[in-house]
Amino acid sequence: MSEESQYSEHPGGWVEWFCQLPQNQYLTEVDSEFIQDPNNYGHLIKQFNLFQQALQMILSSEQPDTLDLENEKFLELYTEASDIYGLLHQAFIQTPKGLAVMRERFLNGRFGHCPRVLCEKQNTIPIGLSESLKTSRIKVFCPRCKEAYAPRKSQADFDGAYFGRSFPMLLLLTYPDIHPKYTIQLGTELFTPFQPTLYGFKVRDERQIQQSSTQLQSLQQTQQQQQIITEQTNGIIEKENHHQQEKQNAEQESKQSKKKKKNKNNK
């Protein structure tokens, strides 16, 4: 018997059984009082066809057996019960009691560690990418690198709505002492960006190379446009100079012609 089952709110019941399934290890047991409070489930009734029967299953003191799990009608009811419990779980873990429970689980590393090497096995927090069902599977959020990762399916494989998007931020705001910036080891950085190197020399990654290539192309296009504008401007100036020179030549020829005529008349 695990430590959690020893202090279970639902000893031997459906909730304890459901939370101990291998794929549901991240879930915690929701209090019976919370489950039975209409204020907590009232908005869910219209979302499910078998809500009342599913709620009875959740509150049942009996666990399903092998025959139950082979029955199609039971599985249909079980599917709804799972989602109803998941949405109640999302609400429960945002209460003071639920947050306190999840804080202890986080500190004990029950939700796994960040796969990023530079995060030095930072404990992660479950997160859903949506508050709605059937949108995405559960992920884990690293408060150190602030990225979300897919957990091992052997540890967690359920709908992300069972935790929702807001839970990690709410947990960190409620308990700022668990934030890595307060617990980080001396001499290490809160966030260390990875810089690939080759024989000690920094190597640009594909995004940097692509960005540099784009910038180079943009620069070349700008230079080409400037060259075209310069050529056009030079052409205009050259034409104006040529026209001005022709005008000056014509004026000079006209003056010389008038001068010759004047000299001829004087003779």
Side-chain angles (χ1 to χ4, degrees):
M1 180 180 292
S2 67
E3 183 178 351
E4 288 195 5
S5 62
Q6 184 178 356
Y7 301 101
S8 173
E9 294 275 350
H10 312 266
W14 186 93
V15 172
E16 180 185 356
W17 168 82
F18 183 72
C19 291
Q20 288 183 0
L21 292 175
Q23 69 272 21
N24 294 341
Q25 292 182 33
Y26 289 177
L27 300 178
T28 191
E29 294 187 17
V30 180
D31 292 348
S32 297
E33 294 79 6
F34 188 91
I35 296 174
Q36 297 178 69
D37 188 343
N39 293 322
N40 297 325
Y41 68 70
H43 64 289
L44 301 176
I45 296 176
K46 294 183 179 180
Q47 298 183 34
F48 299 92
N49 297 324
L50 305 172
F51 181 83
Q52 293 299 336
Q53 298 94 311
L55 189 63
Q56 291 177 7
M57 175 182 284
I58 293 171
L59 295 170
S60 173
S61 59
E62 298 180 357
Q63 298 183 2
D65 55 27
T66 305
L67 293 177
D68 290 331
L69 297 175
E70 293 176 353
N71 186 296
E72 291 186 5
K73 290 185 178 180
F74 176 88
L75 290 177
E76 181 183 359
L77 184 60
Y78 167 76
T79 300
E80 288 211 358
S82 300
D83 286 342
I84 292 170
Y85 183 82
L87 294 179
L88 289 171
H89 180 275
Q90 178 196 129
F92 175 73
I93 60 176
Q94 296 183 33
T95 65
K97 182 175 182 179
L99 285 166
V101 171
M102 302 310 275
R103 175 184 183 273
E104 293 304 314
R105 302 188 92 197
F106 167 77
L107 292 176
N108 292 330
R110 294 295 301 275
F111 306 127
H113 307 93
C114 181
R116 187 173 181 269
V117 175
L118 293 176
C119 286
E120 300 176 334
K121 294 186 177 181
Q122 167 66 47
N123 290 349
T124 54
I125 307 171
I127 185 173
L129 302 184
S130 174
E131 310 291 338
S132 303
L133 292 168
K134 298 177 176 57
T135 302
S136 68
R137 307 302 287 174
I138 190 67
K139 302 290 187 294
V140 288
F141 172 79
C142 174
R144 190 166 181 180
C145 66
K146 296 179 175 57
E147 293 288 347
Y149 302 92
R152 295 179 181 177
K153 288 192 175 182
S154 59
Q155 294 180 329
D157 186 20
F158 51 83
D159 200 301
Y162 293 6
F163 274 85
R165 291 178 61 91
S166 304
F167 173 67
M169 302 305 109
L170 182 60
L171 184 67
L172 293 170
L173 288 172
T174 305
Y175 300 105
D177 60 299
I178 68 174
H179 195 284
K181 71 178 181 181
Y182 294 107
T183 59
I184 197 166
Q185 295 180 356
L186 186 65
T188 60
E189 297 181 18
L190 178 61
F191 177 74
T192 308
F194 176 68
Q195 174 61 59
T197 60
L198 181 63
Y199 302 119
F201 295 96
K202 293 182 179 180
V203 179
R204 294 183 299 174
D205 60 23
E206 185 177 349
R207 288 177 298 179
Q208 291 175 320
I209 294 173
Q210 185 176 4
Q211 184 179 7
S212 298
S213 176
T214 303
Q215 291 175 345
L216 179 60
Q217 290 177 359
S218 177
L219 179 61
Q220 289 175 342
Q221 290 176 355
T222 302
Q223 290 176 341
Q224 289 175 355
Q225 291 174 353
Q226 289 178 344
Q227 185 176 358
I228 292 172
I229 293 172
T230 302
E231 290 176 353
Q232 291 176 345
T233 304
N234 291 338
I236 293 172
I237 294 173
E238 186 176 351
K239 286 182 180 180
E240 288 182 352
N241 291 338
H242 181 70
H243 179 69
Q244 188 69 22
Q245 185 65 39
E246 288 182 343
K247 186 178 180 180
Q248 290 177 356
N249 292 339
E251 289 178 353
Q252 188 173 3
E253 289 178 358
S254 177
K255 287 180 181 180
Q256 290 177 353
S257 177
K258 289 180 180 180
K259 187 176 181 180
K260 287 180 180 180
K261 286 182 179 181
K262 185 177 181 181
N263 292 335
K264 187 176 180 181
N265 292 332
N266 290 334
K267 290 180 179 180

